[in-house]
Amino acid sequence: MVARGTMLLVLLLRASALTPPTLRRPSFFAPTQPPLETRPPSAYEDTDVEARLAFARDGLCVVEDFFDEETFAACQRAARRQKELKPETLESVAVGRLGCFLEPRDPVVVALSRPDSVERLRRICGDDRLEPADFPVELRRYPVGSSMGWHKDEVLYEEPQLEVVLTLENTSDSQTRWERADGSVRGAWLPPNSLLLVKAEGATHGVTTVRRGDRLIAKFVLTASPIKLQAWYDNILSYQAQP
C-alpha cells in the first residue's frame, strides 16, 4: 500500500510539472491598470504637466488631443452643420471673421461644459473656483483673408475670465502667435482637437492672415466671478443684425 501511494504521489507531481504555463491561474493579487476611459481626472496630470507650467509662467498654454475621438467627432459634425455664421458687428481686432453663438444643447457646448472637462481645465490653470460662464459659447470661422491683430482679451467679469479656444478644423496656413513672459514671441499652427487657454488681460496674442484654407474654432469662457462688467453687455451684441 505504501509503494502504491508513493507511486501515485510521484505521478501527480509529474503531471503538475508538465502543466503548460498558459493554463496556470493568475494571482488575484496581481496589480491591474484601469482602462483609460475609467481613470479619474488625476490621471491626466502627467499629460498636462507641460501645459500647467506654461500657463503658470505665461498665462497661456496649448493642450493637444483634449477630447476622445468619439466626442471630438461629434463636435466636428455639429460645427459643420452651422451655416448661419455672420460678420461681427462689434469693433474688433479680428478682420473678416465670421461667427455665431451656440445653443446650450449643442454638442460642442455640452462637451466643453462636462464636469470632467471643467475639472481638467481647473487643474491646468490651478484655480478650483472656475465654472462655465453665462456668456454663450461662440463658433468662429476664419476664411481666406481673415486675421486677428495683437491684443489682450477683454475682461468680461469682475475677475478676469479664462478663455478656452477649441480648434475644430484647421486647413489654413495661419498661425496663432503669443508673447511669453520673457518677452519672446512664439507661433504655432494649432491642430484640430487642441485647446488654447488664455486669461483675459493676460498674454498678448493674435492670428496671422489666412492665405489658403480656413480655420473653425469654438470659444468657451470659464469664470470665478458672477459679476458682469460693461464689456459683457457689449460683446453679447456681437452678432446682432446691423440696421
Side-chain angles (χ1 to χ4, degrees):
M1 293 293 293
V2 174
R4 288 179 62 186
T6 302
M7 182 61 69
L8 180 60
L9 178 60
V10 170
L11 291 173
L12 289 172
L13 289 172
R14 286 180 179 175
S16 68
L18 294 173
T19 302
T22 54
L23 297 181
R24 293 180 180 175
R25 295 183 179 180
S27 169
F28 287 105
F29 298 100
T32 58
Q33 183 72 10
L36 181 62
E37 62 273 17
T38 63
R39 293 180 189 176
S42 58
Y44 293 111
E45 288 185 358
D46 291 341
T47 306
D48 295 333
V49 165
E50 196 172 319
R52 291 206 311 272
L53 292 173
F55 190 85
R57 180 186 65 237
D58 302 323
L60 183 151
C61 70
V62 175
V63 183
E64 295 191 9
D65 297 320
F66 188 79
F67 291 116
D68 61 83
E69 290 184 9
E70 184 179 355
T71 299
F72 185 64
C75 290
Q76 284 186 311
R77 288 193 298 271
R80 289 168 183 155
R81 289 195 295 266
Q82 291 287 342
K83 304 298 183 184
E84 300 300 320
L85 275 67
K86 304 174 182 178
E88 294 180 39
T89 58
L90 185 69
E91 289 295 327
S92 172
V93 291
V95 175
R97 186 172 67 191
L98 306 173
C100 69
F101 292 125
L102 296 177
E103 296 291 334
R105 63 179 179 276
D106 187 277
V108 175
V109 180
V110 172
L112 287 167
S113 305
R114 285 186 334 200
D116 60 324
S117 299
V118 173
E119 178 60 24
R120 189 175 176 189
L121 294 170
R122 287 173 179 158
R123 288 173 180 272
I124 294 171
C125 300
D127 191 344
D128 290 337
R129 303 171 304 153
L130 292 172
E131 297 287 349
D134 56 0
F135 194 86
V137 175
E138 293 178 75
L139 185 68
R140 292 173 168 177
R141 183 180 292 279
Y142 286 82
V144 170
S146 62
S147 64
M148 184 169 61
W150 284 100
H151 70 288
K152 293 185 177 184
D153 288 333
E154 196 172 14
V155 177
L156 305 180
Y157 296 87
E158 190 174 56
E159 286 192 52
Q161 72 275 7
L162 175 70
E163 305 223 341
V164 179
V165 176
L166 168 65
T167 298
L168 291 156
E169 293 183 339
N170 193 358
T171 60
S172 77
D173 57 349
S174 177
Q175 282 197 337
T176 299
R177 293 182 176 175
W178 62 92
E179 185 177 4
R180 303 174 73 179
D182 61 6
S184 63
V185 174
R186 184 174 178 184
W189 179 87
L190 299 183
N193 202 15
S194 66
L195 294 187
L196 176 77
L197 278 57
V198 60
K199 193 170 185 179
E201 279 300 325
T204 303
H205 58 286
V207 177
T208 63
T209 302
V210 177
R211 303 296 182 188
R212 63 177 181 272
D214 70 357
R215 178 170 172 252
L216 185 64
I217 65 169
K219 191 188 80 169
F220 174 55
V221 177
L222 292 167
T223 183
S225 170
I227 302 175
K228 303 178 182 71
L229 302 183
Q230 182 58 44
W232 189 100
Y233 298 95
D234 294 337
N235 280 269
I236 205 69
L237 303 177
S238 294
Y239 304 109
Q240 277 198 349
Q242 299 186 37

